[in-house]
Amino acid sequence: MLKHVLAAVSLMGFLAFGGSQALAQAGGDYRLDTQDKLRVRVIDWRTSVGDANEWKALSGEFVINASGNVALPLIGDVKAAGLTTSSLAVMISEKLQAKVGLSQRPDASVEVIEYRPFYILGTVATPGEYPYRPQLNALQALSIAGGLLRSESAGGALEREALTGRGELRLLAVDQLMLRVRQARLEAELANAQQITLPPEISARQSDRDVARLVREEQLLFDVRRDSLNSQIASMNSTKIVLAQEIDFLKAKGVSLDRQYELAKRELDNINSLAAKGLAVSGRQLTLEQNTAQFDTSRLEVSVASLRAKQDLSKMDREIAELRGKFRTETLVTLNEVRSKLATIAEKFDTQQALIAHSEAYQPALDLAGPNGEQRRPIFRVTRMVDGVQKSLVIAETDPIYPGDVLSVSRERNSQRSGALDFTLRETTAASEAQVR
């Protein structure tokens, strides 16, 4: 009888609870959501050079934050939750084309390299958070968690689950602190500040040894990066001063050559006039012509050298601007990654707190073994977001598990099931029989 009841639960759960989502998963149209880690690549074809160019600032790995957005350089936050990878790729291409003003839309590709995790708790060997993999069902999820708990009581499993959760919370708090200090350093770099301004809650904890160490390390990195940038810019500015002096020298030399040329040209004109009357020696005329030509050549060389020096000076200005731009872009990309990780940690923090609260409040229906030592069948209950509403339902062991699901495993009570479970089974069975009639 229980087998038929669970079959009815599974059927109703698929149709009324997750049927549309299951079809979407089976069809390959995976819908993105918070904590999914993506790899994004953006490429455009440059006809002028006949080659593909990759937008390195936009190409990389990104995590969908708690708001359902993915933070990308240049175009900012892009709504990703609820979209497929192909839809998100098209949106990124369109936003980039509109932002930069491109005549043709660049090609973007998005792939999921790490799905958001699922969670398993209850009477399992190792409850907690696990990476999701496609085509996962409830029985496989139980196997990933080490199977059913055999040697401890359900109460002991829940206590261990709560302890594990608290340990995870401490690790998340450390990661969060490190990222908050790093975020302050990156924001100071973007603002071109002289020192890092820490958030008040971190400044108040600087007497703590670990906090002081993190702040000291980030301040040292801040000083090194700032000094390195300033040193490179100072070197380029020194080169600019030398080039400017060279231009001034060439300008003065050009003025002098112009004056000598004019004098030589005037003297040559006088000699030519006397030679036409037979009053000048032809050798003198030839010498003056050679001098005039030499002055003219020197003037041209000075003009070319002056033009080259001006080009080098302009190149230095461009390189300084590119250096500042590269520094700012790298800082902005890293800052977006830090903000995304902070959002992910906040989401994990809330999830772990909810799991701990559930473990502490969860009352197992029975110990693992019955009165005669017989083993009881596992009962799977999944909690899942459906159309923005959190729903919970008993499912069969072959039903699918999706990213973000919370799977609770308990033991069958034989003929004395808990009131909540009896209610769910009665409700589902009645609905199933009504459909048959």
Side-chain angles (χ1 to χ4, degrees), residues 261-333:
Y261 174 79
E262 290 297 328
L263 292 174
K265 188 72 169 60
R266 190 181 308 162
E267 185 176 0
L268 179 60
D269 290 341
N270 292 334
I271 292 297
N272 287 337
S273 176
L274 293 174
K277 299 176 182 179
L279 300 177
V281 181
S282 59
R284 176 60 175 166
Q285 182 181 16
L286 179 60
T287 300
L288 288 173
E289 288 177 350
Q290 291 175 342
N291 290 342
T292 303
Q294 182 63 39
F295 286 134
D296 200 23
T297 301
S298 297
R299 291 169 63 206
L300 181 60
E301 291 174 350
V302 168
S303 297
V304 171
S306 179
L307 180 60
R308 186 178 297 111
K310 290 178 181 178
Q311 290 175 339
D312 290 341
L313 187 61
S314 299
K315 182 181 178 182
M316 284 293 104
D317 288 331
R318 289 195 305 272
E319 289 182 355
I320 289 175
E322 289 173 359
L323 183 63
R324 291 185 185 276
K326 181 180 178 181
F327 182 86
R328 185 174 180 82
T329 299
E330 290 177 352
T331 303
L332 185 59
V333 169

Side-chain angles (χ1 to χ4, degrees), residues 83-102:
L83 299 180
T84 62
T85 53
S86 57
S87 300
L88 178 58
V90 171
M91 183 177 293
I92 291 172
S93 297
E94 291 175 348
K95 284 183 173 291
L96 183 59
Q97 181 184 23
K99 179 72 175 181
V100 183
L102 300 173

